Amino acid sequence: MKVVCDRAAVLDALGMASSVVSGRTPSPILHCVKLVASDGRLSIAATDSEIAVRIGVAQVDVQDDGDALVPADKLVQIVRASEDATLTLHAQKQALHIKGADSHFKVLGFDPKEYPPIKDFPESKADCIVNAAQFRRLVTRSLFATAVENSRYAINGVLFERSGRKLRLVATDGRRLAVARGECDSAADGDTRCIIPTKALNILNRLIDDPDASVKVSVDSHQVRFLIGDADDAAMLTSNLVEGSFPPFEDVIPKDQDKRVTIDASELTSAVRRAALLTNQESKGVRLAFGDHRLVLSSRAPEMGEAEIQVEMPEYQGEPIEIGFNPSFIVDALKVIDGGPVMIELKAPNKPGVLKVGQDFTYVVMPVSLA
Amino acid sequence: MPIRVLSPLLVNQIAAGEVVERPASVVKELVENAVDAGAGRIEVSIENGGLDLIQVADDGTGIRADELALAVASHATSKIADPGDLEAISTMGFRGEALASIASVSRLRLLSRPHDVPEGAQIEVEGGTLRPVRPASAAPGTTVLVRTLFFNTPARRKFLRSARAEAGRVSEVVEAIAMAHPAVGFRLEVDGRATIDLPAGQDRRARVVEILGRGLEPELLEIGDETGGEVLAMWGLVGLPRIAKATSKHVRLFLNGRFVTDRTVLHALRESYRGLVEPHRSPVAALFLRVDPHDVDVNVHPAKSEVRFRNPSMIHGLVHRTVLRRLRQADLVPELDLARMGGATPDPKLGGASLGAPSQRSEGHAGPSWTWSGSSAARGPTAPASWSGFDLDAAREVMAGSAPTGPASAEALPTIRFAPEVMQVQRRYLVTQDEHGIVVIDQHALHERVMFERLRERIERGPLESQRLLVPATAEVDAGASEAIDALEPLLMRLGIEATPLGPRTVAVHAFPSLLFERGVEPAPFVQELLTRAADEGLPHEPEAALAEVLDMMACKAAIKSGDRLSESELAELLALRETVERATNCPHGRPTSLRLTVRDLDRQFGRS
């Protein structure tokens, strides 16, 4: 294998690929990225045995087809530290030579045949095709509500649900639930339902850089595959699915909220953020008092002090209500809806609150008790 | 059987059942009488655990021959005369029934001679039957001989333990009375061998230390609160947490000079040590309370071992406050014992890093060959957390790793205190330094302690903040555990847990403390464990103790685990928290969170001193 490549483009692809590589695995093979030069392009592949990516780099001049398997961290460091516009990657036996204007690195690697095979995207079995910007928005609007990775009992994934051309991504950590809705550009007949690991979706969001590209999705019984773009620099992501069933979330979305108001998202964000300044680890909750044409947010941390923020809210409908929320839960949701009006729906201090942006986004958040 | 008036002997035997339970109670009554008689020296000897012989001899005022018969009659005493005296009892005995009771269940000989009388007299009583008073030669004072105790009440005799166990109880009684009367000399002989020998005229501190064991002196903290003056005052010595014992036998409480047991005071003392000693252990303490006799009723129990305070919460407050304050001042970080680190001891003479105090093994904590010793305690009371006693030169050498000679730069010093560098070892221990030397911290134990204190502080201001769940989490529990929920409800409410039984073996958790959520603790397993523990072992009845136990459980679950990698900022934060939390030296279970290797010990090990 011999390839002259654009350093920035390779660095970009390598950075993404190496984020899949897990530092924890004892297998030296899995610490590597696999480079393949063929058909006039270079592809860089990496896997942690749960998730695999293959990223195409088009800005290359392939002089000899071939492949190489080298440690990801060293290759990234070398390419990043270089100042050349182009680098030559030359595989000889099991070593990769990286040559710049004034440099020559020889990195010892392994036999590429030992690397686990990564299947191509099954074009014929594509489930649906979604606009990349749309897909990224769906992921962003659901992913944040998943539980942090290290909690052992929660579902570390997002429900992907397609019914005809309608698409729904749902995530929860047991205290809140986010439902993002969208539509496919085209779709196969029937329905699809699976749980995609959060790590895979995080990587997927990074792989989308052209908002006008399309994302093709293919789901089988235990894996999901994404193909982002379709040119020489297309990227493919394969991930195992999360096993188990998603909680029955439809029942959790309340239908009988009797207090509602529409408020500007950025105004509410600012108010909640400021009220949260005087909370602490033991008392996180912010009190939201709705009524009398305004919203009063207040917080109290005994050894620090108290905060009170007022927001004018002429259109509030319903009885006055005081309810406590973890401020991060509110801010997290407001962050992903890109400003604009948001509808708040409430029922009682010990019942869920709902944030809605049209039909596209529904967010259910459970309250905290107030001292 | 027709109703009839009991014979005086039977009355006395019944009374004896209350006062004279075992040889130790006889000794207690007789020695207290001797103290009340103004003795300067009291000698006790027993044979066969006191069953064959109990002899108590004093050099007190003595009893005149014509009063001897009265002395062994029931309810005869010189100590009180009219009901008003009962309101303010200052003598140890007063009921006037002890001698009569003892005489009714033994063969008793009372031999006495007042100082101003040339000849003594004696009286013998056998199973309650008085013999005539006879003249006898005697030294000034009184001697009581009790032989064949319980000879006429075989049932009582059956309940006694081995001679050795009974002798042990006698010994405890003599020690207790001796502690309260440091001016009086005491001697106890068990089967001809002296086991206690205390000189007359000691001061209270010396007396207590001598009885607790002189080796323990560095481990004892002196406490005192005299602000109440004559009405309410306290003095005592309390042991450092590390010398806590398995039973509360080592808590000795004296009320106006009388040895008593009192749950109020014992509770206050244990509260002060909560979190410093493991729950089933008890601190070592000798507490002397002075309470206005009008404010305490000692006439509750015939043996006078229990008392009733008019204002128990005031007493509780005094003890708790005073002991707690003293413990906070003390430097409770135990030291690593270099002498036991195996192999590295160049000279056995130099190896004695510990001061010879009994040290506890702590295998699980500090590695197979490290122990912690009590030598820091010697410094504790005098210079807690101060710069005094700090060997600057030695510290410079250690810090700079430089040769012993040559002045080190003085600027290096402030870093010791204000910017402690810290290293995480095996994702389990943190190593840093303070003004005394190297400090090794158990990351889990310290964080657990920090969480515990913060939770406790927080819960005093109201129930923990509770986060509701979207869908109730269900916990599988044993049958019975779900029924425990009702009883636990008030406790669960304070903790911010809302749970309801869903079936005989299922519990639904509707709300859970946000704090635990933040720390990645899942509701169902936690509630499951809590209910199982409550059902199997039972939580303490007292609400505060039960609360502390559950908070402890929460703190443990929420804390950083052994094996967690900590970032630099997390390390710094944890160390900073250590400074803010009281008793950071022990985890809530009472295990140490930190051990210290002093510069002084290092010097010794490196052969510098």
Side-chain angles (χ1 to χ4, degrees):
Chain A
M1 180 194 94
K2 190 169 183 188
V3 183
V4 179
C5 55
D6 179 74
R7 188 182 68 87
V10 167
L11 181 58
D12 215 30
L14 273 176
M16 236 130 34
S18 64
S19 69
V20 175
V21 173
S22 161
R24 288 187 195 153
T25 166
S27 157
I29 297 280
L30 292 182
H31 290 164
C32 290
V33 289
K34 184 178 177 184
L35 310 179
V36 180
S38 68
D39 305 329
R41 65 174 197 143
L42 174 69
S43 78
I44 300 174
T47 180
D48 68 353
S49 77
E50 290 283 318
I51 295 170
V53 292
R54 195 168 66 199
I55 302 160
V57 186
Q59 296 97 313
V60 291
D61 174 17
V62 177
Q63 296 175 353
D64 286 317
D65 284 3
D67 50 11
L69 184 62
V70 288
D73 56 345
K74 279 299 149 212
L75 186 55
V76 170
Q77 286 167 16
I78 290 165
V79 175
R80 182 179 291 140
S82 164
E83 291 174 354
D84 299 308
T86 61
L87 291 170
T88 304
L89 307 179
H90 188 189
Q92 279 182 324
K93 293 182 182 159
Q94 286 180 19
L96 182 68
H97 296 260
I98 305 140
K99 289 180 192 159
D102 61 351
S103 59
H104 180 177
F105 294 88
K106 177 185 176 187
V107 179
L108 301 180
F110 301 89
D111 182 356
K113 289 187 192 68
E114 288 180 27
Y115 204 66
I118 295 172
K119 285 189 206 151
D120 288 333
F121 185 84
E123 293 277 358
S124 60
K125 286 194 217 153
D127 199 76
C128 61
I129 300 173
V130 190
N131 165 270
Q134 156 110 282
F135 204 98
R136 180 154 65 183
R137 185 165 62 243
L138 290 174
V139 170
T140 309
R141 286 181 170 189
S142 52
L143 195 56
F144 75 94
T146 52
V148 282
E149 247 178 80
N150 60 12
S151 79
R152 281 155 287 176
Y153 305 94
I155 304 154
N156 288 311
V158 173
L159 178 71
F160 174 93
E161 203 183 49
R162 182 184 67 83
S163 176
R165 285 178 60 186
K166 297 240 178 277
L167 205 54
R168 208 154 56 154
L169 267 67
V170 187
T172 182
D173 66 358
R175 294 163 282 169
R176 56 201 173 146
L177 174 91
V179 183
R181 296 181 193 84
E183 221 165 272
C184 310
D185 289 345
S186 66
D189 293 339
D191 302 344
T192 309
R193 192 179 157 100
C194 64
I195 305 172
I196 303 170
T198 52
K199 183 181 176 185
L201 290 176
N202 268 314
I203 294 167
L204 180 70
N205 256 7
R206 292 182 58 192
L207 289 173
I208 296 173
D209 59 349
D210 176 6
D212 296 327
S214 63
V215 177
K216 291 179 188 161
V217 186
S218 166
V219 180
D220 65 24
S221 58
H222 62 281
Q223 282 193 323
V224 59
R225 292 192 175 78
F226 298 96
L227 185 66
I228 303 109
D230 45 14
D232 283 347
D233 56 357
M236 194 186 68
L237 171 74
T238 304
S239 170
N240 288 350
L241 296 175
V242 176
E243 306 217 347
S245 57
F246 202 81
F249 68 94
E250 297 278 11
D251 307 344
V252 163
I253 303 170
K255 314 278 188 292
D256 57 347
Q257 306 290 78
D258 55 4
K259 303 170 182 66
R260 47 177 57 86
V261 68
T262 301
I263 186 168
D264 180 68
S266 48
E267 198 178 345
L268 184 58
T269 305
S270 155
V272 176
R273 279 205 170 123
R274 283 181 288 157
L277 291 175
L278 289 187
T279 58
N280 61 16
Q281 211 188 342
E282 287 84 22
S283 316
K284 281 195 168 303
V286 166
R287 179 190 302 263
L288 284 78
F290 293 85
D292 200 19
H293 304 301
R294 60 183 184 174
L295 163 63
V296 179
L297 298 96
S298 57
S299 65
R300 191 155 61 95
E303 64 283 8
M304 283 191 286
E306 302 175 11
E308 188 181 294
I309 317 288
Q310 303 210 359
V311 182
E312 291 308 312
M313 206 178 55
E315 315 98 80
Y316 177 71
Q317 297 164 18
E319 295 289 309
I321 181 174
E322 285 195 8
I323 188 166
F325 286 112
N326 180 333
S328 341
F329 287 4
I330 305 290
V331 170
D332 284 351
L334 294 171
K335 237 190 269 177
V336 300
I337 60 177
D338 318 315
V342 57
M343 163 103 83
I344 302 175
E345 295 181 346
L346 301 167
K347 169 95 175 166
N350 61 349
K351 300 276 188 223
V354 180
L355 297 187
K356 279 184 181 167
V357 179
Q359 290 300 307
D360 291 348
F361 179 66
T362 303
Y363 182 63
V364 184
V365 56
M366 295 306 290
V368 295
S369 62
L370 290 168
Chain B
M1 217 198 290
I3 296 174
R4 62 173 84 105
V5 174
L6 295 176
S7 73
L9 173 63
L10 212 47
V11 169
N12 276 332
Q13 284 188 349
I14 291 168
E18 293 175 350
V19 183
V20 187
E21 267 183 313
R22 52 185 359 114
S25 25
V26 173
V27 171
K28 176 175 182 293
E29 297 296 335
L30 298 181
V31 173
E32 283 185 349
N33 279 348
V35 170
D36 284 343
R41 183 159 182 84
I42 299 170
E43 293 185 355
V44 183
S45 58
I46 59 170
E47 281 170 21
N48 188 25
L51 284 178
D52 292 357
L53 173 76
I54 297 169
Q55 177 180 322
V56 176
D58 68 57
D59 56 357
T61 49
I63 306 166
R64 296 209 329 260
D66 56 346
E67 286 179 355
L68 279 180
L70 205 53
V72 293
S74 47
H75 302 294
T77 182
S78 62
K79 297 172 186 179
I80 54 176
D82 59 69
D85 290 349
L86 261 189
E87 291 285 301
I89 290 159
S90 61
T91 51
M92 314 234 357
F94 57 86
R95 300 170 74 108
E97 60 189 7
L99 270 184
S101 299
I102 296 166
S104 71
V105 292
S106 68
R107 297 186 178 93
L108 181 139
R109 183 150 72 105
L110 176 61
L111 175 73
S112 194
R113 184 192 134 195
H115 287 249
D116 53 353
V117 178
E119 195 182 30
Q122 69 167 7
I123 186 169
E124 283 180 32
V125 194
E126 189 173 327
T129 314
L130 270 66
R131 301 271 150 82
V133 175
R134 288 185 289 129
S137 73
T142 304
T143 300
V144 183
L145 286 106
V146 177
R147 290 184 192 279
T148 56
L149 186 63
F150 302 134
F151 78 99
N152 53 353
T153 52
R156 179 67 72 177
R157 218 175 156 101
K158 264 189 218 150
F159 281 101
L160 298 178
R161 306 240 181 123
S162 67
R164 174 193 270 210
E166 295 299 336
R169 287 176 183 244
V170 168
S171 183
E172 279 169 32
V173 162
V174 174
E175 281 182 0
I177 299 173
M179 261 194 201
H181 300 279
V184 182
F186 284 89
R187 181 181 170 88
L188 171 66
E189 272 183 23
V190 177
D191 296 326
R193 205 166 47 84
T195 58
I196 296 175
D197 197 356
L198 298 161
Q202 285 189 304
D203 67 26
R204 59 187 182 181
R205 186 189 164 94
R207 173 60 61 90
V208 172
V209 167
E210 184 144 353
I211 290 173
L212 292 180
R214 279 193 209 137
L216 231 47
E217 186 160 15
E219 311 280 318
L220 298 173
L221 304 171
E222 188 165 337
I223 55 165
D225 186 317
E226 306 280 334
T227 48
E230 285 301 311
V231 183
L232 183 62
M234 168 161 132
W235 178 87
L237 291 173
V238 295
L240 288 171
R242 60 172 157 269
I243 60 165
K245 302 284 193 233
T247 71
S248 59
K249 220 166 64 180
H250 300 267
V251 176
R252 285 163 166 122
L253 171 64
F254 300 89
L255 176 69
N256 296 340
R258 185 195 310 278
F259 177 65
V260 295
T261 54
D262 180 68
R263 292 179 49 189
T264 305
V265 174
L266 187 62
H267 183 264
L269 183 73
R270 282 169 167 258
E271 279 294 293
S272 319
Y273 279 81
R274 174 179 281 170
L276 289 176
V277 304
E278 293 160 60
H280 58 277
R281 299 181 79 83
S282 192
V284 171
L287 299 179
F288 295 79
L289 272 169
R290 190 164 67 226
V291 178
D292 186 335
H294 292 100
D295 285 339
V296 60
D297 183 1
V298 292
N299 195 13
V300 179
H301 184 271
K304 289 161 285 196
S305 57
E306 282 172 33
V307 296
R308 199 166 286 154
F309 292 110
R310 197 156 290 175
N311 188 349
S313 63
M314 190 171 73
I315 303 291
H316 190 279
L318 172 77
V319 173
H320 186 241
R321 196 172 55 238
T322 312
V323 176
L324 196 62
R325 199 188 299 138
R326 187 63 191 87
L327 285 172
R328 281 176 186 164
Q329 289 163 0
D331 177 2
L332 301 175
V333 179
E335 285 183 8
L336 284 174
D337 191 345
L338 270 186
R340 315 227 177 157
M341 284 174 72
T345 313
D347 177 345
K349 201 170 62 209
L350 295 174
S354 89
L355 292 180
S359 63
Q360 273 173 274
R361 280 269 172 204
S362 64
E363 311 280 1
H365 268 273
S369 58
W370 294 10
T371 62
W372 34 296
S373 82
S375 47
S376 71
R379 209 173 39 247
T382 51
S386 78
W387 286 84
S388 61
F390 174 43
D391 185 342
L392 294 183
D393 289 332
R396 283 193 194 103
E397 286 162 32
V398 167
M399 285 178 53
S402 65
T405 52
S409 78
E411 292 91 298
L413 276 173
T415 62
I416 301 173
R417 200 174 172 83
F418 301 112
E421 292 193 9
V422 59
M423 175 171 76
Q424 193 183 17
V425 179
Q426 307 251 346
R427 295 191 193 176
R428 189 182 304 198
Y429 296 108
L430 314 183
V431 178
T432 185
Q433 55 180 326
D434 69 0
E435 64 271 30
H436 301 300
I438 297 168
V439 179
V440 183
I441 298 165
D442 178 335
Q443 65 183 38
H444 171 71
L446 174 60
H447 195 227
E448 183 181 355
R449 155 57 60 192
V450 169
M451 298 290 299
F452 179 74
E453 286 300 331
R454 280 163 52 160
L455 281 169
R456 245 161 76 106
E457 208 178 293
R458 171 63 185 75
I459 212 158
E460 272 170 26
R461 291 191 296 262
L464 292 186
E465 184 179 285
S466 178
Q467 166 75 54
R468 298 196 73 79
L469 279 76
L470 275 168
V471 180
T474 52
E476 299 300 318
V477 294
D478 291 343
S482 80
E483 287 159 31
I485 282 196
D486 279 346
L488 287 173
E489 211 203 324
L491 176 68
L492 293 177
M493 221 170 82
R494 292 183 72 184
L495 297 166
I497 298 174
E498 192 184 314
T500 52
L502 209 62
R505 287 169 175 270
T506 316
V507 164
V509 186
H510 305 276
F512 196 61
S514 11
L515 182 90
L516 291 192
F517 265 124
E518 293 297 317
R519 299 289 317 165
V521 182
E522 291 289 324
F526 183 88
V527 170
Q528 183 180 19
E529 190 179 330
L530 174 60
L531 293 180
T532 307
R533 196 187 285 194
D536 291 356
E537 299 159 32
L539 291 170
H541 277 297
E542 207 227 334
E544 288 306 308
L547 180 70
E549 192 165 321
V550 182
L551 288 185
D552 182 3
M553 193 176 143
M554 282 187 166
C556 184
K557 303 273 174 214
I560 292 165
K561 301 284 179 298
S562 178
D564 286 355
R565 187 204 295 273
L566 300 182
S567 69
E568 244 172 68
S569 60
E570 286 171 315
L571 287 174
E573 198 187 326
L574 190 53
L575 282 191
L577 286 173
R578 180 170 184 256
E579 305 288 319
T580 64
V581 169
E582 285 167 15
R583 314 164 175 216
T585 52
N586 292 71
C587 82
H589 304 107
R591 295 192 305 262
T593 63
S594 320
L595 299 173
R596 187 187 284 130
L597 182 53
T598 62
V599 170
R600 202 174 313 163
D601 285 344
L602 283 171
D603 285 348
R604 220 170 281 153
Q605 289 294 309
F606 283 109
R608 283 183 192 281
S609 57

